[in-house]
Amino acid sequence: MSLKTASEYIESLRALNTRVYLFGEKVDNWVDHPMIRPSINCAAMTYALAQDPQYAELMTVKSSLTGRTVNRFTHLHQSTEDLINKVKMQRLLGQKTASCFQRCVGMDAFNAVFSTTFEIDEAHGTGYHQNFKNFLTMVQDNDLMVDGAMTDPKGDRSKAPHEQADPDVFVHVVERRKDGIVVCGAKCHQTGAVNSHWHIFMPTIAMGEADRDWAVSFACPTDAEGVSLIYGRQSSDTRKLEGCAIDTGNAKFGGQEALVVLDHVFIPSEYIFMNGEYEFAGMMVERFAGYHRQSYGGCKVGVGDVVIGAAALAAEYNGVEKASAVKDKLIEMTHLNETLYCCGIACSSQGVPTRAGNYQIDLLLANVCKQNVTRFPYEIVRLAEDIAGGLMVTMPSQKDFDSDTVVGKNGETVGDLCAKYFKGREGVSTEDRQRVMRFLENICLGSAAVGYRTESMHGAGSPQAQRIMIARQGNIQGKKQFAKDVAGIKD
């Protein structure tokens, strides 16, 4: 089997012995937990759309390893067309879920680890590249969801891994055996970790010789002995426990992050992709970051499409859709959103083959893409809040709208009064207005903000990380020479 259905994906999670902790307690049936299930539904859309013939070109592709049809989320990019289709696929899923569908980090890790292991083997005569190809073939054939785990807790940011008071703040090797390694540490902010079948662990920074034990990359099942996942809280997340679907804003879909803890986990040799080759840690980090910064030119744009649509609906329901100021705000939101998309397409179209054979995006343009993502969604959200108005954050709960408690002299209930006083234009139900306001609240301020607004800032690296890469890739010396040549300046 190479393509799972959405239901098969969800059922495959039930078969795992994943150890999930939430609110200080172990969650036995985490698949159906109301705070977790929306994120599973979101990931399931990557499987559902792959089964839909109208999206086959975007969602599926022939594997470069086996020739079999696979989900694009498990694919090694073979051309600039592949890179472009990746961005288009991510925009589509953002439009369908208005949230983070969590499978991008694994795809980006596949491509970074594939090319880096090839070059490690060239330099050291190791067998990591074949290890990885065997692993990815298994992932493709079983259509598995894999978490790309890069971000370590880091401890004291002024110190290298080997200088830390607690060595576990970076994932590291604590024992080397003939048949594998034993690792300890943690990865934080892990998108889709609970919903994944496997994880790929990678270094999080460039390293020196003294950090050899921390220069490690490997694959590990989510339910391996010694792996624990502590679910991350999101703003307004307990609304999902209240049984009021409208109040959640996006009742069906959501994102997910977790702290992934490794407590003396054994990794067999066949799943090791780096083991002390510290001089290649920076390469793996840089390549993964580039792919993931490209991703934001797709997924955030798709969610942005939904935000713009919701803001336009709010204007319509408020009866102000024809106001020139509202039209101008929607134009600006569209301009910003499409600019992000342009960056995602541009860095893809300028991609080049790696020595391993898969395609890598233009690193400079990918970092420009993500730098814009750290800014533009904030303005898009600000304009959406401006258009929606204050009701977005002051509206009574769904229970008030449903209440039959009598409060009026003529027998009006709490629900009657809410329906009366929060109605907008004629022909639009109060409930529809209520729904769009709650949806915008969720995107702008609630749990979905983790997958849109806040994640736009820190996901795939903070803004300064992109600025460092832009400085490295910007070729200032070459630009100075252009100026000298045109101005007639001789060295």
Side-chain angles (χ1 to χ4, degrees):
M1 176 177 64
S2 60
L3 290 175
K4 277 185 170 66
T5 65
S7 60
E8 287 171 341
Y9 160 67
I10 294 171
E11 290 308 306
S12 72
L13 296 180
R14 298 187 193 279
L16 300 178
N17 185 33
T18 306
R19 288 166 289 280
V20 181
Y21 297 86
L22 174 61
F23 295 148
E25 298 179 350
K26 188 174 184 291
V27 183
D28 292 324
N29 182 16
W30 53 271
V31 174
D32 296 311
H33 192 284
M35 278 179 57
I36 300 175
R37 185 53 183 262
S39 65
I40 295 176
N41 293 339
C42 213
M45 281 296 287
T46 68
Y47 291 90
L49 294 184
Q51 297 285 334
D52 192 328
Q54 68 177 311
Y55 302 123
E57 183 178 354
L58 288 184
M59 297 301 305
T60 64
V61 64
K62 294 291 184 181
S63 167
S64 60
L65 299 177
T66 67
R68 294 188 281 273
T69 298
V70 299
N71 194 299
R72 189 176 293 278
F73 279 102
T74 68
H75 182 51
L76 297 169
H77 312 304
Q78 299 297 299
S79 63
T80 55
E81 182 181 11
D82 270 351
L83 292 169
I84 290 169
N85 280 338
K86 170 196 170 184
V87 174
K88 291 181 177 180
M89 172 183 71
Q90 290 166 319
R91 185 172 190 172
L92 171 67
L93 279 155
Q95 293 167 343
K96 295 292 187 181
T97 64
S99 192
C100 174
F101 34 93
Q102 307 147 57
R103 216 171 166 189
C104 306
V105 281
M107 169 177 52
D108 295 336
F110 297 150
N111 281 274
V113 175
F114 179 80
S115 62
T116 305
T117 53
F118 182 88
E119 297 191 34
I120 297 175
D121 285 0
E122 279 188 330
H124 293 283
T126 45
Y128 300 139
H129 192 61
Q130 189 60 51
N131 283 356
F132 181 75
K133 288 199 294 183
N134 293 342
F135 168 72
L136 186 58
T137 298
M138 181 266 291
V139 168
Q140 291 181 343
D141 286 347
N142 293 280
D143 202 2
L144 301 179
M145 178 166 163
V146 179
D147 165 47
M150 175 165 281
T151 306
D152 292 279
K154 298 187 182 73
D156 184 342
R157 267 67 166 178
S158 69
K159 295 181 178 180
H162 74 276
E163 298 172 324
Q164 298 288 336
D166 184 349
D168 289 348
V169 294
F170 288 84
V171 171
H172 62 116
V173 179
V174 296
E175 182 183 356
R176 288 183 170 89
R177 303 176 183 173
K178 289 183 179 180
D179 57 346
I181 58 176
V182 178
V183 295
C184 284
K187 295 288 185 178
C188 52
H189 321 306
Q190 288 308 294
T191 300
V194 172
N195 299 346
S196 297
H197 303 97
W198 281 71
H199 304 263
I200 289 183
F201 291 83
M202 300 166 284
T204 194
I205 57 173
M207 296 182 183
E209 186 173 3
D211 301 315
R212 185 182 297 272
D213 287 342
W214 288 266
V216 61
S217 177
F218 54 88
C220 176
T222 306
D223 61 351
E225 184 66 30
V227 177
S228 300
L229 298 95
I230 303 173
Y231 200 84
R233 287 217 64 178
Q234 299 178 356
S235 179
S236 305
D237 54 8
T238 52
R239 289 191 185 186
K240 298 182 179 74
L241 305 177
E242 296 172 358
C244 300
I246 292 177
D247 283 352
T248 65
N250 187 351
K252 187 174 182 180
F253 300 114
Q256 174 202 116
E257 283 73 34
L259 175 69
V260 180
V261 179
L262 305 171
D263 183 3
H264 293 85
V265 178
F266 175 68
I267 308 299
S269 297
E270 60 264 32
Y271 296 126
I272 298 174
F273 313 133
M274 177 188 290
N275 185 10
E277 293 79 17
Y278 63 89
E279 69 273 29
F280 287 92
M283 175 187 289
M284 190 174 287
V285 172
E286 185 175 287
R287 290 182 178 180
F288 170 79
Y291 284 121
H292 208 43
R293 289 164 190 170
Q294 169 213 22
S295 290
Y296 282 55
C299 64
K300 294 296 174 282
V301 176
V303 178
D305 288 331
V306 187
V307 176
I308 294 167
L313 279 176
E316 179 183 331
Y317 293 173
N318 290 340
V320 297
E321 76 275 17
K322 295 182 180 179
S324 60
V326 170
K327 290 180 180 179
D328 191 61
K329 290 179 176 68
L330 292 171
I331 290 169
E332 179 63 11
M333 294 167 75
T334 302
H335 165 247
L336 293 171
N337 205 46
E338 296 303 330
T339 300
L340 296 178
Y341 186 58
C342 290
C343 290
I345 294 296
C347 71
S348 303
S349 68
Q350 297 300 300
V352 293
T354 68
R355 299 221 308 252
N358 64 329
Y359 265 65
Q360 180 175 291
I361 38 68
D362 182 290
L363 284 174
L364 173 60
L365 296 183
N367 279 276
V368 170
C369 177
K370 180 54 176 58
Q371 184 76 180
N372 285 336
V373 171
T374 67
R375 302 174 183 180
F376 294 178
Y378 283 78
E379 180 64 6
I380 291 171
V381 163
R382 186 188 71 82
L383 292 170
E385 293 172 355
D386 185 359
I387 292 171
L391 185 60
M392 189 187 87
V393 291
T394 65
M395 189 165 53
S397 71
Q398 182 184 342
K399 288 184 178 179
D400 289 309
F401 281 86
D402 295 340
S403 174
D404 58 4
T405 300
V406 177
V407 294
K409 293 181 179 180
N410 296 318
E412 298 97 337
T413 66
V414 171
D416 293 334
L417 296 176
C418 286
K420 175 180 179 178
Y421 289 112
F422 290 116
K423 182 172 176 57
R425 71 182 308 156
E426 289 297 320
V428 176
S429 70
T430 304
E431 181 179 313
D432 285 348
R433 189 169 182 235
Q434 181 190 3
R435 285 181 179 276
V436 79
M437 291 296 176
R438 284 296 187 214
F439 178 78
L440 282 168
E441 180 196 28
N442 175 254
I443 286 283
C444 299
L445 303 171
S447 57
V450 176
Y452 183 63
R453 185 172 57 84
T454 310
E455 191 190 32
S456 293
M457 178 66 74
H458 290 293
S462 61
Q464 193 59 28
Q466 291 109 54
R467 299 185 76 80
I468 290 170
M469 287 302 301
I470 290 169
R472 289 179 186 171
Q473 300 284 333
N475 191 18
I476 296 299
Q477 292 303 317
K479 291 177 172 62
K480 286 165 65 176
Q481 190 60 51
F482 293 151
K484 288 179 180 180
D485 292 343
V486 176
I489 298 172
K490 304 296 184 182
D491 289 331

